[in-house]
Structure formats: structure tokens, C-alpha cells
């Protein structure tokens, strides 16, 4: 596909000097659309469909999310909750992906969720970002809060997600040491490894779009091939195969709660956590050919692919698990290492964990790709400090200030793991909620203002099904946000309490404080980086930035 893709250009201005219009038609259309939205193209469009799809696939990390969070569902509902929860949640996450893809097709910019909120409802201070239109009549300090907080919360979520992924890589390496050498690593050693993985993620992201696109394409095939290897290994080598009745109907409860329905619902969190990340394709839209088509296709395609691949992997795990109690009582850093050890033995467990660990590393790299691009987009619109620094690109076309800010934050948070694993998990649990809250912002607008919020749809459109899909997505997102903060164990004490509500509350307070002391004085909405030239027309004559 890459060989047949049309040639790339670095920017619209550079394209204007190229006489071969047909050769660069696909890139030209994407750059033209970006100019209509008020932005000059600054990145080379080096990503093909597989590159963009791989970005979202990487961010979802189906092998890694399923492996790292498998025990959550196994202990909360057991196989019954895992199987049915996976399919139900996959269906609703697909609806969310369809909602976001439709918006992405109309507004293919790396601002993603943040820009969509600004663009779809700029005249409503609670949801949009047009401060000046309301400054004289309403509160001048509240208008841009909602849109800027979408960007800030989502950038924090992506940074935390990358940090979580890098620590997971360290935990997989710790499990490899435990299985292979019988050596248990200390928290300091695990944190030190996480530091090294954070820095490695930064180095790869600093090498730019081509490297990230190549890695994401490789991860796509690695996930497909790795899943095949893991499934075959489990089904062939497991000494005892569980029955279909066990896989589809067995109920397990290690939570202490008595309500079967509530316990099964808690198992849904594993599926949602695993499937988050499809929107990451939007963060590289300005680096993709035909972004208005490829980015939404990647958003939807990554969920469909993850649903099917995850289902195959989950069934192999459920048919092969030898003892749920053994997994629950394991001393390994990653509980699924115990499942593999019981099912396939020491040597094959080392192989399986290596497959998952490499996939986990690539997923974590992608999270920093998303956060750095969002820092760039926010800085471009005066919604982030040190604008010139965070908009600077190196010779590889990488926003390196955003990359290394993500690495620095990741290293700092990794230090919390040394003092308290509970505190560290509380910080990172806020990432999953923050992502869902970020999804909620544009979906709310599409539900309550369906006709005016997206007047000009892109090539990817849901047509008459749009409102129904958005409404179902809205209900599910609200439900999951509530479920994420409920206690997962009973009776609740200081060690098993779900601190997600505290962590996400702290994130919201931090974002609010940043707005109060800095954002409200600077941010007035998206800022044009290109002016009208000749006959070029912007959408319905509107200014992209309300403050322009």
C-alpha cells in the first residue's frame, strides 16, 4: 500500500511550487482542509493507512491491555463476566469510535478531542471556547475552560497512560526475571527499569513521524502474529483444557461483594481499559495522507480489529487457565505470568511474556506520541505555556519538547512506585477515567446539538444513524465513568480502596487551577497559523479562533 501511495509534501506552501498536481492530489486535499481550519501544515505527511491504523492499534494495545488487566475480570465475575463483558463493551466502544470518527473526518487535526469541542460549539461558554463573544455579557473567565480542560485532561491522560505502559514493561521484565532466574526485583529496581523504558520511549519519539509510523505498522503485524503464536501455544501445551460450560458460564468472585450483577459489572472495567485509545489516530492526522479518510477509518478499524483479536486471545486464556486461585495467589509481578507458567511451563512462559512485553513497549511509545502532539496543538492555540518551545520541531519533524516533557513526567511518577504501589496505581487509574471524560465532551455536543454542531461533515459520515449512535455512546460513557470510581472490594480499607475518585479529582483541580492562574489570561480559542490567500474560503466565512 505504501508503494502505491501518492507522494508526500511537507506543507501547503511547498506544495504550491510543485507542478505535478495529480501526483500530490491526496496530500494536497488534506493540507487544503487543514488550511480551511486555519492551520498551516508543518508536518510531512508520511503515514499511510497501515501507519495510522497501527498508531491506534498500538495505543489500544490489545495483547498488553488484555494481559495486564486480565486478572481484574477473572476475579470479578470470572470467565462469565470476561466473555460477555468483552463483547458488550466492545460493541459500545465501537459506537464511541464511530461517533469520534465522524467528527475526526470533518476536523482532521492533531488537536483531536480538544479542537473538536472548540469547533463544534464555540458560542456556548460551558462547552465551547469563544471567550470574547461572551466576555461582555457573561463571565469572561469561564468561556474557554471547558474546551481547554478537554485538551489538558486528555494530555494528562495520555502522559499517564504512557507512564503506566512503561511501568508495565518493567513489571514484565521483572516477571521474566522471576520465571527465568527465580529472582524477585525490588521496587527500586522496577522503578529504575521504568525510567530506562521512559527514556527509550522518548528517544524513539524524537526520531519523528517515519520512525513512529514504521513502528506502529510493525506493531500491527507483531500483534497479529503474536496473538496467533500465543493462542496456539496455550491451546496446544495446556495440560488440561477447560470445558465450554466453564468458559461461558463459570462465575468467580474474589471481591467480597455479594451482588452477582455488580461483580460482573466490575469485570467490565477490564474490557474498557483494554479498548481505550482508538482516538489516537486523530493525534497524527496532520502527518497522514488523506487524513479526512484514513484517520476515521483507523479509529473504527482499530476497535473492530481489537475486538476480534482480543476475543480470540481471551478464549485461549480461558480454555487454558489451570487454576484461578493460583493466579489470584501469585507472587509474580504480573499475575498473568502465573497463568502462563501453569499452562505452558517455564520456557514457553518466557517466550510468551517477551511477546507481550515488546507489544507493551510499543503501546507506551504511542501514548507519548499522542501526548507530545497534543502539547504541540495546545501550544499552537495559546493553551499551553512556552509556545515557541512546544511548537519547535527537530530535523526529524518531531515536537521534541512535548516528547521529553512526557518522559520527565513519566520518570517523576515512576518514583511514586518506590514509596507506595497503591499511590502509584491511584495516579494511573485516573488516566482511564480521564480518557472517558475526554470522549464525553464532543459526544455531549453531538447529542444535544446534533444539527448545528457538525454542519459540514467529512467523507466518513453516519448519516441518519448519527444521533442514535451518539446517544448510545453518551449513555455508556457516563455509565463507565461512574463505574470506574466505585469501590472494587468489600469491606473497603486503606489498601483495597478505589482511589480513582481521589486521583481524578486531583487532576480536575489541577486543571482548574492552571486555568484560573494562567489559561484564562491567555487562551481565547484556536489561533490561525495561516491567513486567507486569494480566493481561498474558510467554512461559512467563520474565524476559526473566536479571539481573532
Amino acid at each position: 500500500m505504501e508503494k502505491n501511495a501518492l507522494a508526500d509534501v511537507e506543507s501547503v506552501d511547498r506544495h504550491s511550487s510543485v507542478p505535478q498536481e495529480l501526483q500530490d492530489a491526496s496530500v494536497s486535499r488534506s493540507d487544503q482542509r487543514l488550511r480551511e481550519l486555519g492551520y498551516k501544515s508543518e508536518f510531512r505527511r508520511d503515514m499511510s493507512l497501515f501507519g495510522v491504523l497501527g498508531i491506534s492499534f498500538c495505543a489500544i494495545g490489545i495483547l498488553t491491555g488484555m494481559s495486564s488487566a486480565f486478572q481484574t475480570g477473572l476475579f470479578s465475575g470470572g470467565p462469565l463476566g470476561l466473555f460477555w463483558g468483552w463483547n458488550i463493551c466492545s460493541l459500545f466502544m465501537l459506537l464511541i469510535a464511530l461517533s469520534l470518527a465522524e467528527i475526526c473526518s470533518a476536523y482532521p487535526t492533531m488537536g483531536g478531542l480538544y479542537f473538536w469541542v472548540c469547533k463544534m460549539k464555540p458560542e456556548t461558554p460551558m462547552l465551547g471556547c469563544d471567550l470574547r463573544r461572551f466576555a461582555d455579557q457573561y463571565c469572561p473567565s469561564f468561556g474557554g475552560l471547558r474546551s481547554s480542560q478537554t485538551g489538558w485532561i486528555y494530555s494528562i491522560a495520555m502522559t499517564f497512560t504512557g507512564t503506566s505502559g512503561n511501568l508495565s514493561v518493567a513489571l514484565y521484565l521483572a516477571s521474566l526475571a522471576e520465571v527465568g532466574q527465580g529472582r524477585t526485583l525490588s521496587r527500586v529496581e522496577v522503578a529504575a527499569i521504568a525510567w530506562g523504558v521512559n527514556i527509550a520511549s522518548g528517544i524513539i519519539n524524537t526520531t519523528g513521524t517515519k520512525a513512529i509510523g514504521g513502528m506502529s505498522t510493525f506493531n500491527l503485524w507483531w500483534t497479529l502474529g503474536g496473538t496467533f503464536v500465543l493462542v496456539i501455544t496455550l491451546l496446544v501445551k495446556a495440560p488440561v483444557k477447560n470445558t465450554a460450560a466453564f468458559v461461558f458460564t463459570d462465575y468467580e468472585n474474589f471481591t467480597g461483594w455479594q451482588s452477582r450483577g455488580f461483580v460482573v459489572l466490575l469485570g467490565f472495567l477490564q474490557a474498557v481499559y483494554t479498548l481505550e485509545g482508538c482516538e489516537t489516530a486523530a493525534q497524527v492526522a496532520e502527518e497522514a495522507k488523506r487524513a479526512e479518510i484514513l484517520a476515521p477509518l483507523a479509529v473504527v478499524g482499530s476497535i473492530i480489529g481489537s475486538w476480534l483479536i482480543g476475543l480470540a486471545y481471551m478464549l485461549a486464556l480461558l480454555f487454558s487457565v489451570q487454576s484461578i486461585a493460583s493466579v489470584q495467589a501469585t507472587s509474580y509481578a504480573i499475575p498473568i505470568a502465573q497463568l502462563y507458567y501453569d499452562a505452558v511451563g517455564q520456557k514457553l512462559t518466557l517466550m510468551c511474556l517477551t511477546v507481550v512485553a515488546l507489544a507493551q513497549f510499543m503501546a507506551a511509545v504511542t501514548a507519548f506520541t499522542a501526548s507530545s502532539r497534543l502539547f504541540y496543538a495546545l501550544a499552537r492555540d495559546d493553551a499551553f505555556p512556552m509556545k515557541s518551545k512546544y511548537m519547535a520541531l527537530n530535523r526529524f519533524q518531531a515536537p521534541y519538547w512535548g516528547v521529553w516533557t512526557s518522559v520527565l513526567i513519566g520518570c517523576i511518577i515512576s518514583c511514586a512506585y518506590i514509596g507506595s504501589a497503591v499511590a502509584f496505581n491511584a495516579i494511573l487509574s485516573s488516566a482511564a477515567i480521564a480518557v472517558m471524560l475526554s470522549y464525553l465532551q464532543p459526544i455531549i455536543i453531538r447529542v444535544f446539538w446534533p444539527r448545528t454542531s457538525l454542519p459540514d461533515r467529512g467523507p466518513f459520515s453516519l448519516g441518519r444513524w448519527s444521533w442514535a449512535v451518539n446517544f448510545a455512546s453518551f449513555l455508556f460513557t457516563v455509565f463507565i465513568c461512574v463505574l470506574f470510581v466505585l469501590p472494587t472490594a468489600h469491606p473497603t480499607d486503606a489498601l483495597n480502596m478505589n482511589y480513582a475518585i481521589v486521583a481524578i479529582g486531583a487532576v480536575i483541580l489541577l486543571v482548574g487551577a492552571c486555568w484560573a492562574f494562567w489559561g484564562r489570561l491567555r487562551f481565547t480559542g484556536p489561533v490561525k497559523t495561516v491567513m486567507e490567500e486569494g480566493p481561498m474560503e474558510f467554512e461559512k466565512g467563520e474565524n476559526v479562533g473566536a479571539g481573532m
Side-chain angles (χ1 to χ4, degrees):
M1 181 170 290
E2 291 184 4
K3 292 181 180 179
N4 296 327
L6 296 174
D8 305 332
V9 292
E10 289 189 14
S11 68
V12 172
D13 293 330
R14 186 170 300 181
H15 169 74
S16 63
S17 64
V18 179
Q20 299 176 344
E21 296 180 2
L22 293 179
Q23 182 181 2
D24 297 315
S26 66
V27 173
S28 177
R29 281 193 291 270
S30 296
D31 284 342
Q32 172 70 13
R33 179 55 182 156
L34 190 62
R35 289 174 73 90
E36 290 172 358
L37 295 174
Y39 295 132
K40 178 183 177 181
S41 180
E42 303 285 355
F43 292 83
R44 285 191 292 266
R45 294 190 180 272
D46 286 329
M47 287 195 182
S48 65
L49 174 61
F50 277 110
V52 183
L53 179 61
I55 286 288
S56 283
F57 218 74
C58 244
I60 292 174
I62 191 64
L63 280 181
T64 60
M66 179 74 73
S67 299
S68 301
F70 186 74
Q71 69 277 2
T72 301
L74 196 62
F75 305 154
S76 302
L80 180 148
L82 277 168
F83 176 78
W84 297 107
W86 176 257
N87 288 288
I88 292 171
C89 290
S90 293
L91 174 61
F92 280 100
M93 292 299 284
L94 176 60
L95 296 181
I96 291 174
L98 289 169
S99 299
L100 299 180
E102 183 177 45
I103 305 171
C104 180
S105 184
Y107 305 123
T109 75
M110 67 170 53
L113 298 163
Y114 143 76
F115 182 85
W116 303 342
V117 171
C118 285
K119 186 65 176 175
M120 289 193 297
K121 204 61 181 171
E123 76 281 4
T124 302
M126 185 62 181
L127 291 170
C129 56
D130 191 345
L131 269 72
R132 294 185 184 179
R133 193 175 300 181
F134 285 82
D136 296 333
Q137 187 175 359
Y138 300 104
C139 176
S141 63
F142 189 67
L145 173 60
R146 192 57 171 267
S147 54
S148 62
Q149 83 169 13
T150 300
W152 289 344
I153 289 176
Y154 185 64
S155 62
I156 291 172
M158 287 295 98
T159 304
F160 284 6
T161 298
T163 303
S164 174
N166 288 328
L167 180 79
S168 293
V169 174
L171 292 174
Y172 277 109
L173 294 177
S175 293
L176 284 169
E178 291 174 319
V179 174
Q181 300 180 351
R183 180 171 180 263
T184 301
L185 301 186
S186 67
R187 286 186 185 177
V188 174
E189 290 174 314
V190 172
I193 295 173
W195 268 54
V197 178
N198 273 295
I199 293 170
S201 297
I203 292 172
I204 293 176
N205 271 293
T206 305
T207 58
T209 303
K210 277 193 174 181
I212 297 300
M215 185 204 70
S216 61
T217 301
F218 172 76
N219 180 72
L220 183 61
W221 297 110
W222 180 265
T223 300
L224 291 172
T227 302
F228 179 79
V229 169
L230 295 178
V231 168
I232 296 300
T233 301
L234 285 167
L235 295 180
V236 170
K237 297 297 293 184
V240 177
K241 309 297 189 301
N242 295 311
T243 64
F246 172 86
V247 170
F248 300 119
T249 64
D250 183 66
Y251 171 80
E252 302 286 342
N253 181 9
F254 291 83
T255 67
W257 292 105
Q258 299 302 313
S259 171
R260 291 173 62 97
F262 180 67
V263 171
V264 171
L265 287 179
L266 289 177
F268 280 24
L269 298 179
Q270 176 267 344
V272 174
Y273 170 80
T274 302
L275 290 167
E276 287 182 337
C278 67
E279 77 294 340
T280 311
Q283 306 306 136
V284 294
E286 295 179 32
E287 301 165 71
K289 307 164 188 176
R290 293 306 308 272
E292 66 279 7
I293 296 177
L294 298 193
L297 285 179
V299 170
V300 176
S302 60
I303 287 292
I304 295 175
S306 296
W307 183 353
L308 298 177
I309 293 173
L311 181 60
Y313 182 41
M314 173 183 288
L315 288 174
L317 290 171
L318 292 178
F319 274 109
S320 304
V321 61
Q322 301 299 293
S323 170
I324 295 177
S326 174
V327 177
Q328 197 270 339
T330 186
S331 61
Y332 291 146
I334 293 288
I336 202 167
Q338 186 68 55
L339 187 153
Y340 275 112
Y341 189 87
D342 294 342
V344 301
Q346 181 188 34
K347 292 183 179 179
L348 289 176
T349 295
L350 294 174
M351 180 201 72
C352 294
L353 291 180
T354 300
V355 170
V356 179
L358 183 55
Q360 178 68 78
F361 174 68
M362 290 186 283
V365 170
T366 304
F368 282 175
T369 302
S371 63
S372 63
R373 269 60 177 177
L374 192 52
F375 289 149
Y376 176 97
L378 291 170
R380 182 170 61 184
D381 292 332
D382 294 324
F384 206 79
M386 301 173 66
K387 178 174 181 175
S388 62
K389 300 293 186 183
Y390 283 94
M391 285 189 66
L393 304 178
N394 64 11
R395 64 191 180 94
F396 301 111
Q397 294 279 291
Y400 57 96
W401 270 80
V403 170
W404 289 101
T405 297
S406 302
V407 172
L408 177 61
I409 294 172
C411 289
I412 293 173
I413 295 175
S414 296
C415 292
Y417 182 78
I418 299 174
S420 172
V422 174
F424 180 84
N425 290 332
I427 294 172
L428 297 183
S429 65
S430 64
I433 307 173
V435 171
M436 296 304 291
L437 288 175
S438 299
Y439 290 169
L440 189 59
Q441 310 289 334
I443 291 174
I444 284 177
I445 297 174
R446 294 293 292 130
V447 168
F448 293 100
W449 293 275
R451 295 186 179 180
T452 59
S453 58
L454 204 65
D456 299 306
R457 302 189 184 187
F460 187 97
S461 175
L462 301 178
R464 62 191 181 93
W465 296 101
S466 182
W467 189 86
V469 170
N470 281 289
F471 184 65
S473 301
F474 165 71
L475 294 179
F476 181 74
T477 305
V478 171
F479 169 74
I480 289 298
C481 286
V482 173
L483 191 62
F484 260 126
V485 300
L486 296 178
T488 57
H490 183 79
T492 303
D493 56 36
L495 293 178
N496 64 23
M497 175 181 171
N498 184 1
Y499 288 96
I501 185 66
V502 178
I504 194 62
V507 168
I508 293 174
L509 287 176
L510 176 62
V511 168
C514 290
W515 169 259
F517 293 104
W518 185 87
R520 68 185 180 87
L521 304 175
R522 298 292 302 274
F523 179 68
T524 58
V527 175
K528 291 180 181 178
T529 62
V530 62
M531 304 303 293
E532 293 94 338
E533 298 176 3
M536 182 176 292
E537 296 180 357
F538 287 79
E539 288 189 16
K540 298 183 184 290
E542 285 187 340
N543 288 330
V544 173
M548 298 303 293

